[in-house]
Amino acid sequence: MAEMKTTADQVKKTYSTQSENLKVIRKRLNRPLTLTEKVFYGHLIDPENQNLTRGKSFLLLQPDRVAMQDATAQMALLQFMLTGREESAVPATTHCDHLIRGREGEAHDMSTALDENKEVYDFLSSVSSRYGIGFWKPGAGIIHQVILENYAFPGGLMIGTDSHTPNAGGLSMAACGVGGADACDVMAGLPWEVKNPGITGVKLTGKLNSWCSPKDVIINLIGELTVKGGTNRVMEYFGEGCDTISCTGKATITNMGAELGATCSLFPYDKNMDIYLRATGRADLADLAAANKENLLADGEVYSKPEDYYDQIIEINLSELEPHLTGPHSPDAAVTISEIRKKAEEGEWPLEVSAALIGSCTNSSYEDLAKAANLAEQAVKAGLKMKVPFFISPGSNVVKDTTERDGILEILQKAGGTVLANACGPCIGQWDRQGIEMGKKNTIVNSFNRNFRARNDGNKATLSFIGGPEMVTMIAFTGNLDFNPSTDSIKTPDGGEFRFSAPQAPSLPPKGFITDTSGFQMPEGKGVEVIVRETSDRLQLLKPFVPFKPEELKDMYVLCKAKGKCTTDHISPAGKWLKYRGHLENISGNMLTGATNYFTGEIGTGTNLLTGEKNIAFSDTAAGYRDAGHPWIIIGDDNYGEGSSREHAAMSPRFMGGAAVIAKSFARIHETNLKKQGILALTFADSNDYDCIEEQDRITLEGLDSFAPGKQLKAVVIHSDGSKDDMLLNHTYNDEQIVWYKAGSALNALRDANG
């Protein structure tokens, strides 16, 4: 049964297993170990026989816990109900944070959400209670902040059905985003399978200057490595600079490491983590971590000769960083504040800001809000008011109640801010934005983590820029994107000049946190009835996918050849579609609505080759192909499926009859999600072959009769003029994943194995 906090007994068990595993690993490798290796290998199911080839082998691991947010939990738990298990095999929790739409403020928005989403909340509450899963109610907080406050612990391993699960790496926990099928497997008692990650060592030296924040560290890193620079890698931080960053500041960095495509990010255990554990009522875990500290740091030889143990080393001198913003439309479009004006001219960005927002899972800690309030207080004392709408999303009820008691929220509200619910809200597109016409070009600035086109407000013309909460707050008072606190001042009402002083605030509340237990529901077990109405348009019980036969994958149409960035937001957008996350048929109506058609440049539409009709929604065409018994293919560009962990971006294509995605390259989580749902995830052996695919092509896949690890498949592409091209295709399937494919999905394989 789930508990409200990770218990000392759970941590003792993890540390004991880790210690025994690492004795075996040290004998096998006979060399010093990185922190990543200690945590991952410490959770191996079979340390004696596991293939440990970094970057190639697949590890079978035993996670300590599973976390799910309400948008992805619906599908994960609907799948879990089919496994036949009576309760989750590992501690697990469900968190209601994604379905609350921001508009007028906490009271109004919570009331609306509880009414609109009652059916979904009732389902999640009942299914969680039935299967021994802890349930955090709407308003209790954002999943990653609640996890950090209650469940994360140094050296642990967690998977979560949200791509920003790596937030817990700020507390030295290997926390990895996955799809719901992975969560379902682990809750059913199976190992978690993940490619043995490469390791990038990020050495931090110096100390952040007065105007920089942890957000600038990660924006700088993403700008250098790009959104695919961390794929199948762990970002392991080290160096004396680590000790200068608070625990929640570290969490900001590891959270946004998801934008690198990283498996997760890790900081070594230090005094700031010890202080945070004790401040959040977990002194017993702090004591255990201190006693186990040798396994919560890399070995000394790794730090003295890092080039011998890391696959890549990046060095960042914190003292030399300057404030950054990143955007628009991609988290790796990093630019320093001093360069904004020039870049704006080149990109024709409106410098006038139309809204500013702070909070979200990346920057909603006590420290973040306290620093924002310090700046706001300075400005208000000078007679200034915010020039644009300013929204605050606290990370949890604990943070909200504590910042309310300490006067922090009052300062922000008096300056012109609106406090939204303790939820994701505008960060994920849950923003009922007022005052901006759809299609109007405008600039917003926020402390979120992603800024894909139309992500925040549904408006494709909105230019979204990400920065630290300190920069966002100052920009709210100036109304200009190019404000530089090091050089710029603001005119005051009396004609004077006001300059901000660097923000000063404690990382933790001097009076301690206000403890809140009202948002947690303990599970009851077998006697609970799971509530799903047959007539619901929000929830739908799942039916197993039927496996494809090799002979069916002939003369397949190209449904969509996606051009450029095609994230999971493009494949399965959120916003208004979030309400259908538990109803596969309904949510599949949004499939590929954000994808750019390579052949026409149009978004979300293409040609129906059965009827000859043009500019037809991809989802409508896919349904027509499926109903005609005609499997189809998606062609993807680089890093296809970047972004969120949402497995709907794999389940919808499968439900609509998709047989394969052939791309230049994949983002890690999405590639796994495709495999789990029985869709072939293949890459061009020659990336130039992507350019050869034409709109009218028919594609036959060959080699599936002898599908095997490391063995290429072949696509026979028949063009409209009758000519043919043979294209070799690579894949990363192992033996177990091939079993998933042949069974029709990983869930089918699990059910087959259980009889």
Side-chain angles (χ1 to χ4, degrees):
M1 283 288 186
E3 302 283 348
M4 188 171 170
K5 287 184 180 288
T6 294
T7 66
D9 286 342
Q10 291 168 346
V11 176
K12 287 177 184 176
K13 181 180 177 182
T14 293
Y15 287 169
S16 175
T17 301
Q18 181 189 43
S19 181
E20 292 303 311
N21 277 9
L22 292 182
K23 289 177 184 177
V24 175
I25 296 300
R26 288 189 184 281
K27 286 181 181 178
R28 289 185 58 189
L29 297 182
N30 192 32
R31 62 164 173 78
L33 300 177
T34 64
L35 173 59
T36 299
E37 290 170 321
K38 289 183 180 183
V39 179
F40 275 74
Y41 296 167
H43 285 81
L44 285 170
I45 298 290
D46 184 7
E48 291 276 5
N49 301 300
Q50 172 71 59
N51 184 332
L52 300 177
T53 307
R54 195 186 286 181
K56 293 185 177 180
S57 64
F58 283 84
L59 304 179
L60 295 179
L61 303 171
Q62 179 57 66
D64 295 303
R65 69 179 311 106
V66 170
M68 298 167 283
Q69 42 94 337
D70 50 357
T72 51
Q74 296 170 63
M75 203 59 74
L77 293 172
L78 286 166
Q79 291 177 86
F80 182 73
M81 290 171 65
L82 297 178
T83 65
R85 293 277 312 194
E86 289 295 336
E87 67 175 12
S88 175
V90 300
T93 48
T94 302
H95 303 257
C96 294
D97 62 357
H98 270 57
L99 299 180
I100 302 166
R101 189 168 59 253
R103 175 172 169 146
E104 295 183 16
E106 182 191 23
H108 171 275
D109 298 346
M110 279 300 302
S111 176
T112 301
L114 292 171
D115 179 55
E116 290 181 345
N117 303 309
K118 183 179 186 304
E119 180 180 8
V120 173
Y121 293 148
D122 286 347
F123 165 69
L124 292 174
S125 171
S126 62
V127 72
S128 297
S129 188
R130 164 65 182 82
Y131 292 106
I133 297 165
F135 178 72
W136 288 84
K137 302 171 187 176
I142 302 171
I143 178 172
H144 309 306
Q145 183 67 28
V146 174
I147 290 291
L148 198 69
E149 292 169 356
N150 297 282
Y151 298 115
F153 66 92
L157 174 66
M158 176 179 72
I159 61 171
T161 63
D162 189 278
S163 57
H164 292 105
T165 299
N167 189 80
L171 199 43
S172 203
M173 186 177 209
C176 307
V178 299
D182 273 353
C184 173
D185 284 354
V186 171
M187 291 190 295
L190 297 179
W192 177 48
E193 181 182 68
V194 66
K195 181 176 281 190
N196 191 358
I199 309 172
T200 294
V202 183
K203 184 176 183 179
L204 302 183
T205 61
K207 183 178 181 180
L208 289 169
N209 67 54
S210 300
W211 292 115
C212 281
S213 73
K215 194 64 160 273
D216 297 302
V217 179
I218 188 60
I219 290 176
N220 174 271
L221 186 62
I222 298 169
E224 181 171 348
L225 295 181
T226 79
V227 291
K228 60 179 182 178
T231 303
N232 291 317
R233 288 177 178 266
V234 170
M235 314 306 292
E236 182 176 319
Y237 293 83
F238 68 102
E240 68 272 17
C242 295
D243 293 338
T244 68
I245 301 172
S246 69
C247 179
T248 53
K250 291 180 175 73
T252 290
I253 294 170
T254 60
N255 175 296
M256 205 168 164
E259 274 48 76
L260 291 162
T263 302
C264 69
S265 301
L266 277 171
F267 274 90
Y269 186 68
D270 67 6
K271 65 181 184 301
N272 291 318
M273 298 183 194
D274 178 274
I275 293 168
Y276 184 79
L277 283 171
R278 296 180 190 281
T280 50
R282 293 174 288 172
D284 52 348
L285 304 195
D287 291 341
L288 288 170
N292 195 63
K293 191 170 182 178
E294 66 176 300
N295 287 333
L296 305 178
L297 308 170
D299 287 337
E301 297 92 332
V302 174
Y303 294 145
S304 61
K305 294 192 71 177
E307 65 276 6
D308 290 348
Y309 303 100
Y310 295 119
D311 300 299
Q312 177 186 25
I313 298 175
I314 305 292
E315 185 165 342
I316 300 174
N317 186 336
L318 301 179
S319 303
E320 295 177 356
L321 273 185
E322 68 171 291
H324 284 65
L325 294 176
T326 186
H329 308 321
S330 186
D332 59 2
V335 58
T336 60
I337 289 296
S338 60
E339 297 174 324
I340 283 285
R341 191 169 300 161
K342 178 183 175 184
K343 291 286 187 179
E345 290 174 358
E346 294 171 355
E348 297 183 350
W349 308 335
L351 284 173
E352 183 179 352
V353 172
S354 60
L357 309 94
I358 64 170
S360 89
C361 65
T362 317
N363 280 109
S364 57
S365 67
Y366 182 91
E367 180 180 21
D368 290 325
L369 299 186
K371 284 188 174 182
N374 179 267
L375 292 165
E377 189 170 35
Q378 293 178 38
V380 169
K381 285 181 179 178
L384 299 175
K385 278 276 191 179
M386 289 178 174
K387 293 187 176 180
V388 298
F390 183 75
F391 297 96
I392 307 109
S393 298
S396 68
N397 224 20
V398 168
V399 168
K400 175 185 169 288
D401 288 349
T402 305
T403 52
E404 201 165 47
R405 176 201 65 195
D406 293 350
I408 290 169
L409 292 185
E410 183 181 5
I411 292 170
L412 293 171
Q413 288 172 306
K414 283 184 176 179
T418 298
V419 178
L420 301 177
N422 311 319
C424 303
C427 179
I428 61 162
Q430 285 286 61
W431 185 15
D432 186 4
R433 191 179 182 191
Q434 307 296 302
I436 289 288
E437 293 180 14
M438 199 63 69
K440 181 179 179 181
K441 191 173 184 179
N442 73 104
T443 294
I444 65 172
V445 62
N446 58 72
S447 67
F448 302 160
N449 43 47
R450 291 195 177 125
N451 53 359
F452 305 139
R453 192 184 297 271
R455 175 178 172 89
N456 300 128
D457 62 359
N459 183 2
K460 295 174 184 176
T462 294
L463 307 184
S464 178
F465 292 84
I466 298 169
E470 301 88 345
M471 276 305 308
V472 174
T473 302
M474 288 186 285
I475 288 172
F477 280 100
T478 68
N480 293 312
L481 191 69
D482 61 346
F483 177 75
N484 186 339
S486 298
T487 59
D488 297 346
S489 59
I490 309 172
K491 286 280 187 187
T492 61
D494 61 7
E497 296 285 335
F498 166 73
R499 291 279 294 270
F500 281 106
S501 297
Q504 301 292 322
S507 62
L508 294 168
K511 299 178 184 177
F513 284 110
I514 294 177
T515 303
D516 175 55
T517 61
S518 63
F520 180 73
Q521 170 190 284
M522 283 287 290
E524 296 179 16
K526 286 186 181 181
V528 177
E529 178 186 359
V530 178
I531 305 169
V532 180
R533 289 191 296 109
E534 289 186 11
T535 58
S536 173
D537 71 345
R538 298 286 301 270
L539 299 162
Q540 181 184 51
L541 296 176
L542 296 175
K543 296 178 182 178
F545 290 130
V546 177
F548 287 108
K549 298 175 183 177
E551 60 268 22
E552 291 180 299
L553 306 189
K554 294 181 178 179
D555 293 330
M556 291 182 288
Y557 293 134
V558 175
L559 175 72
C560 169
K561 180 177 177 180
K563 181 180 180 180
K565 187 183 286 288
C566 193
T567 72
T568 51
D569 280 67
H570 296 90
I571 304 166
S572 182
K576 67 180 183 180
W577 291 95
L578 270 176
K579 66 180 182 179
Y580 295 129
R581 283 286 181 88
H583 198 294
L584 183 55
E585 182 175 1
N586 284 348
I587 199 169
S588 294
N590 77 351
M591 189 185 72
L592 294 169
T593 53
T596 300
N597 186 326
Y598 177 93
F599 306 109
T600 67
E602 296 296 319
I603 295 175
T605 66
T607 299
N608 184 323
L609 297 179
L610 276 178
T611 66
E613 296 173 282
K614 296 183 179 298
N615 300 318
I616 304 299
F618 286 128
S619 58
D620 290 340
T621 298
Y625 291 169
R626 176 197 62 196
D627 295 345
H630 208 108
W632 47 264
I633 283 178
I634 294 170
I635 303 297
D637 210 324
D638 266 321
N639 209 30
Y640 182 84
E642 168 195 343
S644 161
S645 68
R646 65 192 71 165
E647 65 184 330
H648 303 78
M651 293 188 79
S652 288
R654 182 71 166 92
F655 176 78
M656 300 293 269
V661 179
I662 305 174
K664 290 183 180 179
S665 64
F666 287 102
R668 175 188 66 87
I669 299 175
H670 187 62
E671 181 181 19
T672 300
N673 285 345
L674 290 170
K675 292 177 180 180
K676 287 275 186 178
Q677 301 304 332
I679 292 184
L680 288 166
L682 309 170
T683 55
F684 294 104
D686 180 352
S687 62
N688 292 318
D689 284 342
Y690 167 89
D691 298 319
C692 300
I693 302 294
E694 300 172 2
E695 188 175 29
Q696 305 286 328
D697 287 348
R698 305 286 188 94
I699 298 178
T700 295
L701 295 180
E702 295 184 352
L704 287 168
D705 287 327
S706 55
F707 194 14
K711 185 176 181 181
Q712 290 179 316
L713 300 176
K714 184 170 73 173
V716 179
V717 182
I718 305 171
H719 302 298
S720 58
D721 62 2
S723 62
K724 294 183 180 181
D725 280 316
D726 290 345
M727 300 178 182
L728 291 177
L729 304 174
N730 295 332
H731 65 83
T732 61
Y733 283 79
N734 60 25
D735 288 323
E736 179 64 20
Q737 292 168 344
I738 290 172
V739 171
W740 300 346
Y741 175 72
K742 291 181 176 179
S745 71
L747 183 57
N748 287 358
L750 172 60
R751 296 176 72 209
D752 292 345
N754 290 339

